[in-house]
C-alpha cells in the first residue's frame, strides 16, 4: 500500500498535506488514512482510501475529457429522482457531497471526488459464460429501470460520445493533422478503418428508427463490481457517461469486452476472435430482462451493436495514436496503435459472423 508521501511522489498530488485538505473538505476521514492506486480505467486516476474503519474510492477527475462536469451532476440528479431504484438488484455508487454540498473538491487546481467503496471484484475479462450472462442482465436492468424517463432530459456529457459518424470524421481530422508518418502498419490500420463507412451508414439507419433511452454508454466489463465469488453483480460504476443512448450501445460494449477471446490490450493478434458462447450468454441475459420491454427494432439492432462499438473504439484508439496519445492512458508509445489493431481483428471476426 502506498503511503501519503509515496502518493505525493507518484502521482500529480504534489501537496504534502493532500489528505488533510481532503479531510477539511469532507470532514469524515480518520487520521492516518492510507491511499493506494486502484483499478484500470483509462480516463480518471482512481485510488482507494482506507482510514482503518471505512474505505472510499477517490478519483482525480479528468476535466480535460469531461469539460462540463455540471452536466454529469445534472444527469445524476435526474437518475436519483426518477429511476425505479427498487427494480435494481445492485447499487449505483454516486459521489458523496463535500461539506459545501459539492460533488467535486478542488485541491491544487485538480478536481477530486469521493464515492463509497463497494467491496467486491472488478474484472477485465470474464472466466465463463455465466458471468457474461450476469453482466448483460445487470445493464439490461439498468435500462429497464429508467425506461419511463424522458431521455431528452439528459444532457450530452461528451458531445457525440457514441456517434459513429462524428468519430469517423474525427479520425479523418486526426489523419489530416497528424505528425506521424502514415506508412506500414499504421497505413494498414488507417485503410481498414476508413473502409468501415458501411457501418457509419448502418448507424445512421438505426438512428432514424430507434428510441433514445437512459443508457450507461461505457459498459465495459470492468465497470461492474461482482461479488467476491463472481456469482452476482453488486454494483454498476463509472456513471459519468450515462445519458440518452441506444440499447445496442450498452449491449455492444459488452460484446466488445466480453464476447472476445482476448482483452483490448492483447497483442496476440492470431488469437483474437469472437467467443460465441459468451456472445449467446450476453444475448440471453439481455433478453431475459428486456424482452417485452425493448422494441423489436431495438432487439434487431443488437447484433450491429458489437460491430459498432468495436469500430467506434477502433476509430478512437487510432485517432488518439495519430493525435500523439493525448486522451487514453497508455503504458507504452504504441499501445493505442495496438488497441486499434486488436479491434481491427475483433471487428473482422464480428463481421464474419453474420
Ligand atoms: C474509457 O474510463 P474507462 O476506461 O472506463 C472510455 C470509454 C472507452 C474505454 C475503452 C470517458 O473508459 O469510452 O470505451 O475507455 N471512457 C471515456 O476501454 O472516454
Ligand atoms: Mg471504468
Amino acid at each position: 500500500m502506498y503511503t501519503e508521501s509515496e502518493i505525493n511522489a507518484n502521482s500529480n498530488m504534489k501537496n504534502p498535506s493532500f489528505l488533510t485538505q481532503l479531510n477539511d473538505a469532507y470532514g469524515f476521514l480518520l487520521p492516518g488514512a492510507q491511499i493506494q492506486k486502484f483499478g484500470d480505467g483509462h480516463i480518471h486516476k482512481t485510488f482507494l482510501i482506507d482510514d482503518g474503519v471505512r474505505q472510499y474510492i477517490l478519483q482525480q477527475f479528468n476535466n480535460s475529457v469531461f469539460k462540463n462536469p455540471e452536466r454529469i451532476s445534472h444527469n445524476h440528479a435526474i437518475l436519483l429522482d426518477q429511476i425505479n431504484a427498487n427494480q435494481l438488484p445492485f447499487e449505483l455508487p454516486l459521489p458523496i457531497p463535500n461539506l459545501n454540498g459539492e460533488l467535486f473538491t478542488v485541491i491544487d487546481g485538480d478536481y477530486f471526488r469521493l464515492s463509497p467503496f463497494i467491496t467486491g471484484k472488478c474484472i477485465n475479462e470474464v472466466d465463463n459464460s455465466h458471468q457474461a450472462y450476469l453482466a448483460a442482465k445487470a445493464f439490461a436492468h439498468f435500462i429497464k429501470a429508467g425506461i419511463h424517463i424522458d431521455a431528452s432530459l439528459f444532457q450530452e456529457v461528451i458531445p457525440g460520445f457514441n456517434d459513429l459518424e462524428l468519430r469517423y470524421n474525427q479520425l479523418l481530422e486526426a489523419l489530416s493533422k497528424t505528425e506521424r508518418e502514415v506508412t506500414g502498419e499504421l497505413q494498414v490500420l488507417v485503410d481498414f478503418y476508413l473502409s468501415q463507412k458501411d457501418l457509419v451508414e448502418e448507424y445512421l439507419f438505426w438512428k432514424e428508427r430507434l428510441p433514445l433511452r437512459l443508457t450507461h454508454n461505457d459498459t465495459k466489463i470492468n465497470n461492474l463490481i461482482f461479488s467476491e465469488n463472481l456469482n452476482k453483480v453488486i454494483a454498476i460504476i463509472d456513471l459519468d457517461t450515462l445519458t440518452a443512448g441506444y440499447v445496442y450501445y450498452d449491449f455492444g460494449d459488452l460484446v466488445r469486452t466480453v464476447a472476445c477471446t482476448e482483452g483490448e490490450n492483447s497483442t496476440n493478434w492470431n488469437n483474437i476472435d469472437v467467443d460465441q458462447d459468451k456472445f449467446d450468454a450476453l444475448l440471453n441475459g439481455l433478453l431475459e430482462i428486456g424482452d417485452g420491454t425493448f422494441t423489436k427494432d431495438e432487439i434487431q439492432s443488437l447484433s450491429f451493436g458489437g460491430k459498432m462499438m468495436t469500430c467506434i473504439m477502433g476509430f478512437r484508439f487510432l485517432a488518439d495514436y495519430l493525435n500523439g496519445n493525448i486522451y487514453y492512458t497508455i503504458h507504452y508509445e504504441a499501445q493505442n496503435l495496438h488497441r486499434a489493431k486488436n479491434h481491427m481483428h475483433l471487428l473482422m471476426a464480428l463481421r464474419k459472423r453474420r
Side-chain angles (χ1 to χ4, degrees):
M1 186 178 276
Y2 288 111
T3 62
E4 185 184 338
S5 58
E6 278 168 334
I7 256 292
N8 290 330
N10 283 320
S11 77
N12 286 338
M13 300 175 199
K14 295 179 204 86
N15 189 324
S17 63
F18 175 77
L19 267 176
T20 314
Q21 291 189 60
L22 197 65
N23 205 13
D24 288 348
Y26 287 91
F28 51 68
L29 295 175
L30 299 173
Q34 302 264 306
I35 306 188
Q36 65 183 117
K37 264 206 127 251
F38 191 79
D40 291 308
H42 289 334
I43 307 297
H44 308 302
K45 286 199 184 106
T46 306
F47 304 90
L48 174 67
I49 296 194
D50 189 338
D51 68 8
V53 177
R54 287 151 311 193
Q55 293 174 312
Y56 300 94
I57 287 294
L58 172 73
Q59 278 192 318
Q60 184 175 359
F61 183 79
N62 185 331
N63 55 337
S64 62
V65 165
F66 289 98
K67 295 194 168 68
N68 302 293
E70 71 289 347
R71 296 189 189 170
I72 300 177
S73 309
H74 167 94
N75 292 344
H76 286 177
I78 297 172
L79 175 87
L80 283 175
D81 189 40
Q82 298 203 34
I83 199 163
N84 288 332
N86 55 350
Q87 284 179 18
L88 294 176
F90 46 75
E91 296 187 57
L92 296 175
L94 292 172
I96 305 168
N98 64 22
L99 291 172
N100 291 332
E102 299 149 347
L103 298 175
F104 294 98
T105 299
V106 182
I107 298 179
D108 281 350
D110 287 321
Y111 280 63
F112 292 90
R113 61 183 174 183
L114 271 188
S115 320
F117 175 72
I118 311 271
T119 312
K121 261 195 170 161
C122 217
I123 54 177
N124 286 319
E125 281 162 39
V126 302
D127 302 329
N128 57 53
S129 297
H130 186 63
Q131 290 156 10
Y133 161 81
L134 293 175
K137 260 174 75 160
F139 283 112
H141 268 301
F142 177 78
I143 299 175
K144 192 172 175 177
I147 203 118
H148 57 286
I149 306 176
D150 173 3
S152 69
L153 296 175
F154 293 101
Q155 295 181 351
E156 257 198 319
V157 177
I158 298 178
F161 188 58
N162 277 336
D163 181 333
L164 193 66
E165 188 184 31
L166 180 108
R167 298 297 190 174
Y168 186 90
N169 290 333
Q170 287 178 343
L171 176 61
L172 287 177
E173 193 183 337
L175 191 59
S176 71
K177 291 193 180 144
T178 189
E179 287 177 9
R180 297 194 193 271
E181 205 187 321
V182 182
T183 53
E185 192 165 54
L186 179 54
Q187 178 76 63
V188 171
L189 286 171
V190 165
D191 291 348
F192 172 78
Y193 280 109
L194 293 185
S195 74
Q196 304 307 304
K197 206 63 209 274
D198 61 320
L199 292 182
V200 177
E201 301 304 326
E202 195 171 346
Y203 173 81
L204 296 172
F205 168 88
W206 286 118
K207 196 172 167 182
E208 293 288 300
R209 280 160 188 79
L210 297 176
L212 285 164
R213 310 288 196 191
L214 163 63
T215 49
H216 180 282
N217 301 308
D218 189 5
T219 58
K220 64 198 255 197
I221 191 68
N222 68 13
N223 286 333
L224 289 176
I225 300 180
F226 283 85
S227 58
E228 289 292 340
N229 59 9
L230 300 176
N231 67 2
K232 197 174 176 314
V233 170
I234 55 178
I236 294 186
I237 59 170
D238 239 345
L239 299 164
D240 294 328
T241 53
L242 70 85
T243 188
Y246 301 117
V247 173
Y248 76 74
Y249 289 168
D250 282 1
F251 181 73
D253 212 33
L254 278 171
V255 170
R256 179 182 80 83
T257 58
V258 171
C260 52
T261 51
E262 296 282 319
E264 80 182 3
N265 290 311
S266 166
T267 54
N268 291 327
W269 319 122
N270 296 333
N271 294 344
I272 297 174
D273 208 340
V274 181
D275 184 324
Q276 192 59 46
D277 286 347
K278 289 180 186 148
F279 187 99
D280 294 342
L282 287 175
L283 199 55
N284 289 340
L286 187 105
L287 292 181
E288 186 174 315
I289 305 304
D291 215 5
T293 300
F294 301 152
T295 66
K296 245 188 174 163
D297 278 344
E298 281 177 310
I299 291 171
Q300 247 181 29
S301 67
L302 294 176
S303 80
F304 172 63
K307 288 178 271 187
M308 181 272 179
M309 291 302 284
T310 304
C311 184
I312 203 168
M313 241 42 89
F315 288 172
R316 292 175 60 194
F317 289 141
L318 189 58
D320 196 29
Y321 181 75
L322 290 166
N323 288 334
N325 300 320
I326 52 177
Y327 188 91
Y328 291 109
T329 299
I330 48 163
H331 301 104
Y332 60 94
E333 177 61 25
Q335 191 163 16
N336 278 318
L337 181 79
H338 287 168
R339 288 170 176 151
K341 183 167 174 182
N342 170 308
H343 276 27
M344 173 178 80
H345 286 281
L346 182 60
L347 182 52
M348 288 193 300
L350 283 165
R351 293 190 70 130
K352 249 193 254 156
R353 280 181 66 251
R354 256 164 236 161

